[in-house]
Amino acid sequence: MAGNLSFSIAINLLTENFKRGANSVKGAFHSMRAQILTFAAALGFAGVSLSNFLSQLIQVARETSRAVTALKKRVG
């Protein structure tokens, strides 16, 4: 009887530690997923910002070219 009781206690301790470990791993994966989603959102925002910056740069280059052409026609 005492042998069965200590075996039962050992099994309970083992399963309790397994549950704790599994919950710890779940928490770690949840934290990692949140970090990955935050990183992906930041990359998306950076991509949109870079795209807007490049389109503004192209627009400025076009307007500068038009201004230079207009000045050449006016002076020349």
Side-chain angles (χ1 to χ4, degrees):
M1 181 78 177
N4 286 341
L5 184 60
S6 62
F7 181 73
S8 176
I9 291 171
I11 293 294
N12 284 340
L13 287 173
L14 184 65
T15 56
E16 183 67 29
N17 286 336
F18 180 79
K19 287 178 185 176
R20 283 187 198 155
N23 287 337
S24 174
V25 169
K26 283 180 188 177
F29 276 125
H30 180 70
S31 174
M32 217 184 320
R33 187 178 76 189
Q35 289 176 351
I36 289 170
L37 287 175
T38 302
F39 180 70
L43 280 180
F45 181 73
V48 169
S49 296
L50 184 60
S51 174
N52 287 340
F53 174 73
L54 289 177
S55 66
Q56 289 291 328
L57 200 60
I58 290 169
Q59 184 179 356
V60 167
R62 285 180 183 155
E63 290 178 9
T64 302
S65 177
R66 286 184 195 139
V68 168
T69 303
L71 285 174
K72 284 181 181 178
K73 286 182 181 178
R74 198 151 178 95
V75 172

